Amino acid sequence: MIQFIQAQNIGLAYLEERFGLQQVEAEDFFPEWFGTLPEIADLEKQYLDRVKANFLRLVKRPPILENAVKMVVLSPLLDLAGFYDEPFLIGTEESIEIALEDEDEIIRGRIDVLVIQEQLWLLIIESKRASFSLLEAIPQALAYMLANPHPAKPMFGLVTNGEDFQFIKLIKQDKPEYALSDKLTLSRRENELYKVLSILKKLSQILS
């Protein structure tokens, strides 16, 4: 009998056991998030300052749900990073299923935001409500990344709750391996949306 499992209920231990997923700590595995990054223009910084202010104002009147995070924070970032332009396409609420070989289990879920180029999956974004921990969102994003039907190239992910941001890189060739960036957060005085945008711009350059 086939058992259906929701991706949002999956933990890292499950992915490690079922898929052989391994975390890599070596810096040279995921240099894209901290290497030489594109500069952010002054006008972009001003816009991101407004994005941060808008989000912090919303936080004063909880709950802040996923759709608000997408509209107020995520959409401006994707626009500034160029992911709304050619050659990229944006998909939302894309359904996925992963069938495990030799086991009667199928993982189901819906990807919040999927950046595509000519049918190739490039970037998966998982957006959560403001009170949600990224530690809980990372396994769900990794499950979606493992479902990528084009495993030859590295896959990138981003998880955010509006306040915190963390990037993921997955390589699925001989064995699935992933690495995480440091967590960037709006709770610091410095506006770390600048760094988030720089990384997204770097990824758009690499992926295009």
Side-chain angles (χ1 to χ4, degrees), residues 6-204:
Q6 295 301 313
Q8 64 187 18
N9 297 326
I10 286 175
L12 282 175
Y14 178 93
L15 297 176
E16 292 167 355
E17 178 184 345
R18 295 293 199 277
F19 296 93
L21 182 68
Q22 296 181 8
Q23 184 172 5
V24 178
E25 299 290 349
E27 286 190 350
D28 60 357
F29 184 86
F30 189 10
E32 292 87 353
W33 78 268
F34 64 83
T36 302
L37 297 173
E39 293 289 332
I40 302 299
D42 288 341
L43 283 177
E44 291 174 324
K45 290 180 179 180
Q46 292 172 22
Y47 187 25
L48 292 176
D49 288 343
R50 194 162 76 247
V51 170
K52 179 178 178 179
N54 289 340
F55 177 76
L56 294 179
R57 184 170 59 84
L58 284 176
V59 169
K60 294 178 181 179
R61 294 176 174 83
I64 309 301
L65 302 181
E66 295 170 27
N67 283 341
V69 171
K70 290 179 189 176
M71 287 189 298
V72 175
V73 180
L74 192 52
S75 184
L77 284 168
L78 291 174
D79 186 18
L80 290 173
F83 283 116
Y84 289 156
D85 302 327
E86 295 289 348
F88 303 112
L89 293 173
I90 297 289
T92 58
E93 298 297 327
E94 298 281 344
S95 297
I96 64 103
E97 287 191 351
I98 316 174
L100 294 173
E101 294 182 10
D102 303 322
E103 297 192 40
D104 295 330
E105 293 181 348
I106 294 178
I107 300 172
R108 282 180 168 174
R110 287 183 178 274
I111 301 171
D112 283 343
V113 179
L114 174 61
V115 179
I116 305 168
Q117 180 187 353
E118 296 179 354
Q119 305 305 311
L120 295 177
W121 292 19
L122 303 178
L123 174 66
I124 279 177
I125 301 176
E126 185 62 25
S127 173
K128 295 298 185 184
R129 63 185 182 274
S131 59
F132 204 91
S133 169
L134 296 192
L135 290 176
E136 299 174 64
I138 287 169
Q140 184 177 353
L142 281 166
Y144 296 154
M145 294 167 76
L146 286 166
N148 183 0
H150 308 283
K153 294 185 177 181
M155 180 81 189
F156 295 94
L158 169 63
V159 291
T160 181
N161 57 12
E163 177 185 6
D164 303 321
F165 301 80
Q166 197 155 18
F167 289 87
I168 308 169
K169 181 178 182 179
L170 174 74
I171 293 179
K172 255 185 80 177
Q173 293 175 347
D174 297 332
K175 56 185 178 180
E177 296 180 318
Y178 76 98
L180 302 173
S181 73
D182 288 347
K183 184 169 69 173
L184 303 167
T185 179
L186 299 190
S187 62
R188 296 193 179 99
R189 182 174 300 176
E190 177 185 351
N191 189 351
E192 294 204 329
L193 286 177
Y194 301 171
K195 181 73 175 289
V196 174
L197 177 58
S198 289
I199 297 170
L200 286 171
K201 284 190 170 190
K202 180 67 173 288
L203 293 182
S204 72

